[in-house]
Amino acid sequence: MSPELTKMAGAAANNVYVSSMWTPERNNPETKNFVEKFKAKYGQEPDNFAACAYVAMKYVAKAMETAGTTTNTAKIRDAMANIKNFNSATGPLSFNNKGTPDVDLVLLKIENGQYKAQ
């Protein structure tokens, strides 16, 4: 879900479908808050790279808070593994016992250069 795809492909990208954990259309307070603050600071809507970086930092910060440390990586790792359904700008986030993220994916369709949730 790169913003460059729609720029490079132009009209040829219409009707292309992708799945993503990010859409600014997600109807939750964390998404709305992130989009509002991002637009205010940068003057544009965030893309999935900005959203995923933001969520990753918030997730690690929550793990550090839960672990009670910012330097003990083993405790932070364990705390990260035990966070379930973390409310984030990309929806609920957890990691399974193999370290793979369990996320709420959204199906997006490109229409006139824009990714639209389906």
Side-chain angles (χ1 to χ4, degrees):
M1 186 187 158
S2 171
E4 292 302 310
L5 173 62
T6 57
K7 290 177 187 173
M8 292 171 56
N14 283 335
N15 299 313
V16 169
Y17 287 85
V18 298
S19 63
S20 177
M21 57 191 281
W22 169 247
T23 177
E25 298 174 67
R26 192 178 289 275
N27 188 22
N28 75 44
E30 291 80 14
T31 302
K32 290 177 182 181
N33 184 45
F34 171 64
V35 170
E36 181 181 302
K37 287 182 177 181
F38 192 95
K39 282 181 173 180
K41 184 167 186 169
Y42 299 106
Q44 64 185 31
E45 193 165 273
D47 63 19
N48 71 314
F49 301 109
C52 289
Y54 174 79
V55 169
M57 296 313 320
K58 297 286 275 186
Y59 194 86
V60 171
K62 175 67 174 170
M64 289 176 175
E65 178 184 319
T66 301
T69 181
T70 59
T71 58
N72 186 322
T73 56
K75 284 185 178 181
I76 295 167
R77 178 201 61 223
D78 292 345
M80 288 176 71
N82 289 309
I83 296 171
K84 301 298 176 209
N85 295 316
F86 178 71
N87 287 326
S88 78
T90 60
L93 174 64
S94 301
F95 285 88
N96 66 25
N97 63 357
K98 294 182 181 183
T100 303
D102 290 325
V103 296
D104 182 20
L105 293 176
V106 178
L107 181 64
L108 304 170
K109 178 182 178 184
I110 299 174
E111 296 176 358
N112 299 318
Q114 301 294 314
Y115 291 91
K116 298 291 181 187
Q118 299 300 295

